[in-house]
Amino acid sequence: MAGLNKQVGDALSAIDFNSVQYGAQGNGVLSGLQVVENTNVDMNVIIQSGSGTANSTSFTVSNNLTVAVTTANTTYERIDTVSIASNGTAYLLMKFL
């Protein structure tokens, strides 16, 4: 399983490994749900329609969801992760390095 860990800046992240683990626990994308830049508004992303599973519960997102990304901290670097719950609610998770 080479390449499971990726280096982000000076921090080593296990994002890919976590994705494999979550998939084994019944979480993941079945189709769509691509995260793309919102070109109309600064610092927003769009989760495109699609389907997935969260905690082994299937869900469908019929309409694109917009997620606001807050302004970066001037002192601390961070990794932003976009997540979606089985009820269709989108979240922005910020991890400061």
Side-chain angles (χ1 to χ4, degrees), residues 5-85:
N5 292 317
K6 294 183 180 177
Q7 188 165 345
V8 179
D10 294 330
L12 187 61
S13 175
I15 293 170
D16 289 336
F17 177 76
N18 287 339
S19 296
V20 171
Q21 181 181 12
Y22 290 142
Q25 295 172 345
N27 300 301
V29 174
L30 299 175
S31 68
L33 300 179
Q34 184 176 3
V35 178
V36 296
E37 175 186 7
N38 182 348
T39 57
N40 295 328
V41 180
D42 292 338
M43 299 299 292
N44 284 358
V45 295
I46 295 171
I47 301 175
Q48 295 177 336
S49 61
S51 62
T53 58
N55 296 322
S56 299
T57 301
S58 296
F59 66 90
T60 300
V61 176
S62 300
N63 299 311
N64 292 349
L65 300 172
T66 300
V67 180
V69 179
T70 59
T71 303
N73 186 297
T74 57
T75 305
Y76 302 105
E77 293 182 22
R78 75 176 193 216
I79 297 173
D80 294 337
T81 303
V82 177
S83 180
I84 188 166

